[in-house]
Amino acid sequence: MSPLSAASAPAVPFSFELYPPRTQAGTIGLHETIRRLADARPSFISVTYGAGGSTGGRSLDVLRHIRRTTTVEPLAHLTCVGNTYAGATTLIREFLDADITSFLALRGDPPAGHTEGDAFLGDLESAAQLVQLIDRVQAERRPYTEGEIPGIPAAARIERRRRVQIAVAAFPSGHPRSRHPAQHLDALLAKQAAGATFAVTQLFFHPDVYLAFVERARAAGVTIPLLPGIMPITSPARLRRVLELTGEELPAELAIALEVEPSAEAQREIGIDAAARLAREVVAGGAPGVHLYAFNDHEIVLAVLRRAGILTPQMENAS
């Protein structure tokens, strides 16, 4: 079953991204955040993975905790950068052995101090290659499943294996390293052909950017669901950092509103309102759900869902 179509999913599916904690205190706080997010019944919770395996072990610890303590689907990030085929194969098997069967396959960016030509980047050249590798490793590990036949001891029904779910990244405003305007769509088509089952977009600030991207992608032949990624921007410092990392254009209205408001609490409210409005408008435009970058803070993303009308009091009381 796809993470986007869980049996008990709300009318508008939603999901969250977390990152592994660096300290024991952070681990305790993250476990509470996971509990609170899981109570809202998201389609999945994804956990980021550090380039070169810097947070691989901690990522797996968080994924195991989600699997063990909740009914929510855990989704593991995997990156090409810093990984070899052999290293990635070992890591994928480790995730599968922990009953993690949903992945987000990313090429990744070179870490600080490295460039595109460095040998450190490894021999996995694209996310499409990583998608194929994930699918192949699972097929080799479990090419089929066996089910009991009632009343016939020692007999087994051979069934086709359950395929892993593999998400990939999509870039509504184009990839910053694209050599031509449609290269990000060509890359998305390659990832779809390799076996990707859905895509999660990188950050955007205006609904028309996402909706126009979906229209272009469909015209180019992309058929997989395109899940909009939304990040609540709750301070000028966070906005500056996000723009540095993504290369997105400055959202002037949001930037001005955050800069002129001296109160951190009021800035938080501005960010929540902006993200909730964005979520409402992309869902109204046909988005298959929303994916929220949580920054390991459950209160902000849950507030966004409430203000967007996606998470209702009835749903919270039911959990």
Side-chain angles (χ1 to χ4, degrees):
M1 180 179 294
S2 167
L4 294 182
S5 58
S8 59
V12 177
F14 53 85
S15 52
F16 305 107
E17 177 184 291
L18 303 173
Y19 59 83
R22 293 183 172 87
T23 65
Q24 182 59 33
T27 298
I28 295 170
L30 182 59
H31 286 179
E32 173 61 13
T33 287
I34 289 170
R35 184 187 70 80
R36 294 287 300 275
L37 295 179
D39 284 346
R41 295 183 296 141
S43 300
F44 63 89
I45 296 176
S46 73
V47 181
T48 63
Y49 171 75
S54 62
T55 59
R58 290 194 293 272
S59 295
L60 185 53
D61 288 342
V62 176
L63 291 160
R64 282 177 172 146
H65 179 81
I66 295 169
R67 175 64 80 203
R68 185 176 64 251
T69 64
T70 79
T71 59
V72 178
E73 179 72 10
L75 185 146
H77 289 215
L78 286 174
T79 59
C80 296
V81 168
N83 260 328
T84 62
Y85 272 97
T89 296
T90 298
L91 187 60
I92 294 163
R93 286 174 178 157
E94 189 175 10
F95 283 132
L96 291 170
D97 288 344
D99 197 27
I100 307 302
T101 58
S102 296
F103 298 88
L104 175 60
L106 303 165
R107 185 185 183 275
D109 296 316
H114 293 272
T115 64
E116 288 289 341
D118 287 352
F120 171 84
L121 299 185
D123 56 7
L124 277 165
E125 298 177 355
S126 69
Q129 291 178 354
L130 184 54
V131 170
Q132 290 177 315
L133 181 61
I134 293 168
D135 196 47
R136 186 167 71 247
V137 170
Q138 200 231 9
E140 292 169 350
R141 177 178 176 272
R142 184 172 296 176
Y144 59 87
T145 60
E146 295 183 9
E148 294 183 359
I149 300 178
I152 309 178
R157 179 183 293 108
I158 305 301
E159 299 175 344
R160 296 182 64 182
R161 67 182 174 92
R162 175 192 171 205
R163 292 195 63 188
V164 289
Q165 295 294 325
I166 308 175
V168 293
F171 298 87
S173 301
H175 195 283
R177 292 193 299 274
S178 289
R179 293 188 295 272
H180 59 83
Q183 186 174 353
H184 65 296
L185 292 176
D186 293 341
L188 184 54
L189 284 166
K191 289 182 275 192
Q192 175 178 277
T197 51
F198 68 102
V200 181
T201 76
Q202 294 294 303
L203 184 65
F204 60 93
F205 294 105
H206 301 288
D208 289 348
V209 171
Y210 167 79
L211 297 173
F213 165 71
V214 172
E215 187 173 342
R216 292 194 305 273
R218 298 295 182 233
V222 175
T223 58
I224 58 176
L226 300 172
L227 189 61
I230 295 175
M231 181 183 294
I233 304 295
T234 54
S235 72
R238 176 169 291 180
L239 178 59
R240 287 191 294 271
R241 179 59 176 158
V242 163
L243 295 178
E244 288 174 7
L245 292 173
T246 63
E248 286 291 315
E249 292 185 9
L250 177 74
E253 185 176 345
L254 176 60
I256 292 170
L258 291 171
E259 287 288 354
V260 301
E261 180 52 67
S263 161
E265 181 60 30
Q267 290 175 356
R268 179 180 181 274
E269 294 300 305
I270 289 168
I272 290 172
D273 280 342
R277 183 167 57 252
L278 186 56
R280 280 196 306 271
E281 293 183 6
V282 294
V283 168
V290 293
H291 182 67
L292 292 167
Y293 299 100
F295 285 101
N296 290 12
D297 184 330
H298 56 273
E299 292 183 353
I300 289 176
V301 289
L302 293 177
V304 169
L305 292 175
R306 292 185 192 105
R307 293 190 197 180
I310 294 171
L311 183 63
T312 66
Q314 292 83 358
M315 291 164 58
E316 293 193 83
N317 291 335
S319 65

